[in-house]
Every structure is written in structure tokens, then in C-alpha cells.
Amino acid sequence: MQGSHLQNITDNGFTVIEDVYSKDEILAVLRHIREADTDSDTFRKSAGLFAIRQFLKEVPGTSKVIFNDRLSQIITELFGEGYFVVKSIYFDKPEESNWFVAWHQDLTISVDQKVELPGFGPWTVKQNQFAVQPPLNILEDNFTIRIHLDDADEGNGALKVVPGSHLKGVYRPETIDWNAETETTCCVKAGGIMIMRPLLLHASNRTTNSKPRKVMHIEFSRAALPQEINWAEKAEL
């Protein structure tokens, strides 16, 4: 079973695994989120989006639920040892959301400070968080797990991807040749996960079916950064 998922990740840049979390585990995560202090700058609240950056730090009670035996086994079997968390975000896209995300790759990592280093750049700062594009080999080895707390499909903004685009380095959206590329929608049931490489081109449509979409987005790496900078959110598994 895991062999086919590994092949999907290698060839297509993503895979979907269902039934990683029970209904009780989903409810436990949502309870921790409801009880969190939302006054921090890492919480973003609007009519179309509720998001929590540095999610595992802000809502630490979720960690034991998220890293259950099933997920730990999946990570070990697909990627081996040595990985750690480097970024975590929670997205709640409400029923009335008109929010969408254009085609892009996840080209930056979060670090603790800005230092000019060979191979690192450009730099950005968002909500007092430094982000930088690292050398390509780091992005090629990183992976992201998206944990779905609601069913996601074409109607409520499930992720669209371009299979195989993770193998093409930095792939600017404006240069996509839609005569050669195809897109597919990654439908995932509540309790399931989508695993993807950060260089996979992905996008998300507006919600059209009045259904919510709550997702936890967790990025993993095993890269050692130059001694001048550190991972901003590093957490051991």
C-alpha cells in the first residue's frame, strides 16, 4: 500500500491517504482550536478566512492528536527518519468564502532572521516572520502533509495540482503550457491527508457549494541550515 503512495509522490508529487484520523480525533482538534487564545498576531480572522500561523505552537494540545501512530508510521515508511516540523498553518475556509489561491509553488521556508547567504533569496517578511527561498535541493527533499477536518472536493476549494510539476524546478505560473500540462483536483474526505512536495504547482478555487473546508498544513524537512540562521518553527517529531 505504502509503495503505491511513494510512487505517486515520486512521479506526480502528491498522494492522498484516507482514514488517518477518526471522527473523535477530528473533534478533539477542533475543540483545542475553539479553546485557543485568538488575540495573537498569528491569528488571522475575516469573513472569508480564519487562519492560524505557527499552529502547533499556538495550539499545542493538538500535537498528540495529529502525530498519532498512523501518521507516524506513514511518515517513517514513506520518507524514513530524520524529518522534523518546520511550519504549521491552520486554514478554515468558511461556507461563504470567496477566497481563492492562484497557481503557485511553495518556494520559501520560515527562518528566525534575515542574513544574506549564498543561494538563499529572495527574502520576505510577513507578520514578523522571515521567509526565504532556499537552494533547490532543500525544497526538493521537503514535504507537506495537509490534514483534512472536512470533506474537500471541487465545490469547496479542494487543492488543484499539476501532476509532475515538482520535477521541473522553479516553474513560474505564467509560463505553464496548458497544452502539455493537465490539472487534477485532490478530493479528500475528513480524516484523510494529502501529502505533497512543495515544488508541486497547486491552486484553490472559490467555494461554490456552501460547505466549509478546514485544513491543517504542516511542512517537514531534514535539512541542516547554515549556522547563521535557524528554522523558525522547528519541532521534533
Side-chain angles (χ1 to χ4, degrees):
M1 181 66 172
Q2 300 297 20
S4 62
H5 288 301
L6 182 59
Q7 198 65 52
N8 287 341
I9 295 168
T10 300
D11 296 344
N12 299 318
F14 71 98
T15 197
V16 172
I17 305 176
E18 301 288 5
D19 300 318
V20 178
Y21 299 94
S22 67
K23 290 182 179 178
D24 286 345
E25 287 174 318
I26 293 173
L27 291 173
V29 168
L30 294 174
R31 184 174 64 252
H32 284 296
I33 293 171
R34 285 196 304 270
E35 295 170 352
D37 178 4
T38 61
D39 291 335
S40 169
D41 289 342
T42 57
F43 287 72
R44 175 183 169 189
K45 293 170 284 185
S46 69
L49 175 67
F50 173 50
I52 309 172
R53 295 187 176 275
Q54 301 183 32
F55 174 69
L56 293 175
K57 174 184 172 184
E58 296 291 350
V59 195
T62 59
S63 291
K64 185 175 290 188
V65 183
I66 292 169
F67 295 102
N68 63 12
D69 290 343
R70 179 93 168 100
L71 187 71
S72 298
Q73 180 183 3
I74 289 169
I75 292 173
T76 300
E77 291 185 2
L78 292 181
F79 299 102
E81 305 289 343
Y83 280 89
F84 42 85
V85 174
V86 294
K87 184 185 292 185
S88 58
I89 310 173
Y90 169 76
F91 294 106
D92 181 352
K93 194 173 181 180
E95 295 91 330
E96 69 275 13
S97 176
N98 241 0
W99 174 67
F100 74 99
V101 179
W103 287 105
H104 69 288
Q105 297 170 300
D106 294 336
L107 294 176
T108 64
I109 58 173
S110 298
V111 296
D112 62 341
Q113 61 180 328
K114 180 178 179 179
V115 181
E116 296 302 328
L117 296 166
F120 286 77
W123 289 79
T124 59
V125 181
K126 183 184 293 185
Q127 294 177 318
N128 298 317
Q129 175 64 71
F130 296 98
V132 63
Q133 184 173 322
L136 203 60
N137 65 295
I138 292 179
L139 294 174
E140 289 171 339
D141 193 52
N142 287 1
F143 66 92
T144 297
I145 296 180
R146 294 171 57 86
I147 301 168
H148 287 253
L149 305 179
D150 295 305
D151 293 348
D153 57 29
E154 295 90 342
N156 65 338
L159 220 58
K160 302 183 299 181
V161 302
V162 177
S165 54
H166 67 300
L167 300 173
K168 301 183 179 182
V170 176
Y171 194 168
R172 299 298 179 190
E174 61 271 18
T175 68
I176 299 174
D177 180 1
W178 289 113
N179 292 316
E181 305 286 16
T182 58
E183 70 172 60
T184 187
T185 301
C186 300
C187 299
V188 187
K189 296 288 187 182
I193 65 173
M194 176 196 174
I195 303 175
M196 58 181 282
R197 293 295 191 183
L199 289 173
L200 181 72
L201 273 167
H202 55 286
S204 176
N205 286 343
R206 293 180 172 87
T207 296
T208 59
N209 63 4
S210 298
K211 292 182 179 179
R213 190 198 62 167
K214 295 185 284 292
V215 177
M216 294 179 291
H217 170 112
I218 306 176
E219 299 179 15
F220 299 81
S221 185
R222 58 182 172 185
L225 298 178
Q227 62 181 4
E228 294 89 348
I229 56 175
N230 298 293
W231 296 100
E233 296 180 53
K234 184 176 180 180
E236 300 294 340
L237 300 183

